[in-house]
Amino acid sequence: MPSYSDIKGSVQDNVIWKSIFRPGSIYRKGYRDTSRDRALAAMNNVLYHLHPVKVKRHGLKLTYTYCLGGLSFFLFVLLTITGIFLMFFYTPAAGAGTEIAYMNMRDLSASVTFGALVRNLHRWGAHAMVFTVFLHMARVFYHGAYKPPREFNWVVGVILLLLTLFLSFTGYLLPWDQLALWAVTVGTNIAGFSPVFGDQVSFVLLGGVEIGPETLLRWYVLHVLFVPFITVVFLAVHFWRIRKDGGISGPL
Amino acid sequence: MADVQMDQEVYDRLIAEGKSERIARAKAKAAAVRKGKIAEGQTLGPKPAEEASKALEEFRASRGSGGVATKTAAPAEAGAPAGRLSPEERAARVAASLGNGGDAGSIGVPAASDHTHRLLALVPPSGIQQVQSKQMDKVYTWPHLLLVEFVALLAVGSLLLVVSFFLDAPLGSLANPNEVPAINKAPWYFMGLQELLAYFHPAVAGITIVGVVVVLLMALPYADKNPSAKPENRKFANMAFTFFLAFWGLLVMIGSFLRGAGYEWVWPWVQGLGFTL
Ligand code: HEM
């Protein structure tokens, strides 16, 4: 019977393990609570793309960021995961008499294991994300954290806010119930009043002159693919700029 | 160094003076080393200036005669003050000490290295960015920041899970384009907009006002020239933004809770709450 440390030794001492974990990684030789290993825990980790080795002490105080940006991101990830689950049980089809989308939503709650729970998580998570992004913007404002050199990251933030709203709004139509149809009608009617291109804008958004099956397909693709993709690109820029601008702002 | 002798005399004197044993031992060892050097005829302390420039002279002479000097090696040129190495000379010395024949390659990259890019050669000596910030009070990301983030994530995650367990997302009846529901509202984050629609033409409320707000938000960091982030120095900015948020919040509240069938004004305790998340 090989002992635990024998097994551990042979697992850590082979080409595959060593190819996965970089030299100096704490997973190669184990972790001891020293300055060196604390630094390596951040540096030899994919997290290094997000976090530097050291951060300003004042930024750790809960009352500085209230974790709002981080929580917005966490909710975004959670929405991606629950959203992928929902995609397995949903078809964006709504032709007259074959309203599969709506039937899928009913079945989801009635007969899919954890279906109702995951749908609830996705729905409430979406509301929560809009809310945390709003609050994040407010906290950034009150800390003057948009001042040089962070002006551009604020602009990126405003774009992220718009993308968050658009993600939320495109998702709102997908259940294809009365609530969805008419809430979205209120919103898209406004787009029709854009100067010059009003009619074209609403035609592109709706895939027709009014909300119908084409709109559902269009918004489905926007909701599950296009807008999340654009959002991830802007999130990457947002996080990259935080670090390039010298980490979190302050202290006040 | 374990076998360095102690100067017993010095040790005894320091102990007698009441110095701690550790300090006395260290000083006694240092005294012994110094004595040894004097006995060998070495001078103590930093080398005098003329000796240092003599060493430099010798170094330059040896480079000149050895024929391995770099193309630009005219000893006292390149703006290097006499008595200091020019960059080429320093590179040559580094290369020599690395044992590669004295051909310096480009500065900062030994010729024999397999680097394919010579980035350092492009960086001006002053650096690309001059960082002039003070040393800050910093802590390690792991464990300090990551633990806080993890706790925040668990807290919000479990709150959401509990809410989702007890509260079901709404699902109305099948969409019907021919039947406008009595209460017809956008999602709450657009209620401010819908409330504006009750007062203005859609081209004004939906397009103009929204467009102006978005442009103003994006322009804000460029318009605010006040360098201070302290609340006491930016009373006007804080007040204006608070009014903006409060105004928007008020519109959302009115639209969400005080509007009912046909978007008429209602009191929720009379006609009930016409609001769905
Ligand atoms: C999808 C939405 C967003 C996500 C996931 C996000 C994420 C983050 C994160 C994780 C941080 C680090 C500090 C913190 O947690 O507060 C941050 C900082 C920042 N965010 Fe966002 N953000 C979002 C939207 C916004 C919006 C709407 C704005 C403003 C209009 C904004 C402006 C900024 C600025 C200026 C910083 C730097 C703050 C500082 O250095 O103290 N972000 N963001």
Side-chain angles (χ1 to χ4, degrees):
Chain A
M1 235 333 249
S3 72
Y4 170 70
S5 60
D6 284 345
I7 297 174
K8 194 172 153 205
S10 57
V11 165
Q12 292 187 338
D13 192 18
N14 75 45
V15 253
I16 297 173
W17 190 267
K18 284 183 176 170
S19 73
I20 300 174
F21 300 106
R22 305 188 63 245
S25 162
I26 57 172
Y27 300 108
R28 273 208 178 179
K29 282 278 175 268
Y31 178 77
R32 282 178 309 140
D33 198 13
T34 59
S35 299
R36 191 185 117 89
D37 278 7
R38 285 180 173 201
L40 287 175
M43 213 182 327
N44 268 325
N45 191 311
V46 68
L47 267 183
Y48 199 36
H49 287 289
L50 293 183
H51 285 316
V53 168
K54 281 185 154 195
V55 290
K56 296 171 192 163
R57 187 189 293 277
H58 81 91
L60 280 186
K61 265 192 15 202
L62 191 61
T63 50
Y64 193 72
T65 66
Y66 294 96
C67 280
L68 284 167
L71 287 178
S72 307
F73 182 56
F74 166 61
L75 288 170
F76 181 76
V77 172
L78 190 83
L79 287 166
T80 308
I81 295 168
T82 52
I84 290 172
F85 178 92
L86 294 177
M87 281 176 76
F88 284 116
F89 305 101
Y90 180 84
T91 317
T98 56
E99 278 89 358
I100 302 177
Y102 182 73
M103 295 309 157
N104 286 163
M105 296 307 292
R106 292 256 298 268
D107 292 345
L108 188 69
S109 311
S111 51
V112 175
T113 313
F114 292 124
L117 183 68
V118 176
R119 180 180 173 221
N120 293 347
L121 278 173
H122 197 75
R123 181 91 168 199
W124 304 137
H127 285 307
M129 181 175 165
V130 173
F131 199 57
T132 54
V133 172
F134 266 130
L135 292 181
H136 171 60
M137 181 177 85
R139 98 91 191 137
V140 168
F141 180 88
Y142 287 116
H143 283 163
Y146 56 81
K147 302 202 170 189
R150 299 184 175 78
E151 310 98 308
F152 182 65
N153 217 13
W154 170 274
V155 177
V156 174
V158 175
I159 294 170
L160 280 172
L161 172 68
L162 298 179
L163 285 169
T164 307
L165 292 177
F166 195 51
L167 262 179
S168 213
F169 194 52
T170 47
Y172 212 84
L173 183 67
L174 303 188
W176 203 249
D177 58 352
Q178 278 290 75
L179 196 65
L181 177 69
W182 291 100
V184 170
T185 304
V186 172
T188 50
N189 275 347
I190 296 175
F193 285 96
S194 320
V196 193
F197 297 113
D199 287 345
Q200 285 85 341
V201 168
S202 63
F203 197 86
V204 167
L205 272 179
L206 302 184
V209 286
E210 61 179 18
I211 296 182
E214 287 76 21
T215 320
L216 185 62
L217 180 57
R218 216 161 265 226
W219 284 42
Y220 175 74
V221 175
L222 286 177
H223 183 73
V224 303
L225 221 60
F226 186 73
V227 192
F229 174 71
I230 305 287
T231 307
V232 166
V233 171
F234 278 93
L235 281 177
V237 176
H238 198 58
F239 296 157
W240 172 75
R241 273 307 291 248
I242 294 171
R243 290 196 52 184
K244 287 293 164 185
D245 293 339
I248 207 84
S249 62
L252 287 186
Chain B
M1 292 294 272
D3 53 348
V4 171
Q5 296 297 317
M6 268 196 327
D7 189 323
Q8 194 63 37
E9 211 177 301
V10 174
Y11 181 77
D12 291 342
R13 198 186 72 232
L14 288 170
I15 291 291
E17 281 173 14
K19 289 276 184 324
S20 81
E21 201 234 0
R22 191 173 58 86
I23 289 180
R25 189 149 20 91
K27 292 200 165 177
K29 279 184 181 172
V33 170
R34 238 172 317 176
K35 257 190 191 165
K37 283 192 172 172
I38 291 173
E40 286 171 21
Q42 293 182 16
T43 46
L44 297 180
K47 294 201 170 60
E50 60 272 22
E51 220 173 286
S53 40
K54 210 169 78 200
L56 183 62
E57 223 91 280
E58 275 168 23
F59 171 69
R60 284 182 174 152
S62 75
R63 276 183 68 216
S65 61
V68 291
T70 53
K71 317 94 211 170
T72 50
E77 48 76 69
R84 227 187 271 168
L85 291 176
S86 71
E88 290 82 7
E89 287 171 332
R90 186 172 296 117
R93 207 160 77 157
V94 169
S97 67
L98 287 173
N100 60 28
D103 182 9
S106 82
I107 299 165
V109 183
S113 89
D114 55 3
H115 286 184
T116 51
H117 60 296
R118 303 198 159 177
L119 191 59
L120 279 177
L122 303 175
V123 180
S126 51
I128 292 172
Q129 287 175 329
Q130 294 241 295
V131 181
Q132 290 180 329
S133 60
K134 286 176 298 204
Q135 179 86 28
M136 296 211 65
D137 187 12
K138 288 194 169 183
V139 294
Y140 282 107
T141 298
W142 169 260
H144 303 284
L145 176 60
L146 289 183
L147 274 184
V148 175
E149 286 179 342
F150 187 61
V151 171
L153 184 154
L154 281 187
V156 170
S158 42
L159 181 73
L160 206 61
L161 199 62
V162 170
V163 170
S164 300
F165 193 80
F166 289 108
L167 220 61
D168 272 338
L171 185 65
S173 52
L174 177 64
N176 180 356
N178 302 318
E179 181 200 323
V180 187
I183 297 177
N184 185 9
K185 291 187 188 177
W188 63 271
Y189 38 86
F190 286 145
M191 278 319 292
L193 204 66
Q194 197 175 352
E195 182 61 20
L196 281 179
L197 282 176
Y199 309 110
F200 301 102
H201 186 265
V204 176
I207 307 295
T208 314
I209 295 185
V210 171
V212 167
V213 165
V214 168
V215 169
L216 283 185
L217 266 184
M218 288 196 184
L220 184 138
Y222 305 96
D224 180 358
K225 298 277 183 211
N226 175 359
S228 172
K230 291 194 192 323
E232 59 268 32
N233 294 337
R234 47 200 301 265
K235 293 201 173 107
F236 174 75
N238 281 350
M239 199 178 63
F241 197 72
T242 308
F243 267 115
F244 170 69
L245 288 186
F247 173 71
W248 210 246
L250 189 72
L251 286 184
V252 170
M253 292 292 175
I254 293 176
S256 299
F257 301 127
L258 300 179
R259 295 292 187 170
Y263 214 69
E264 294 298 322
W265 190 282
V266 297
W267 299 112
W269 52 91
V270 185
Q271 282 102 326
L273 201 60
F275 179 68
T276 331
L277 266 178

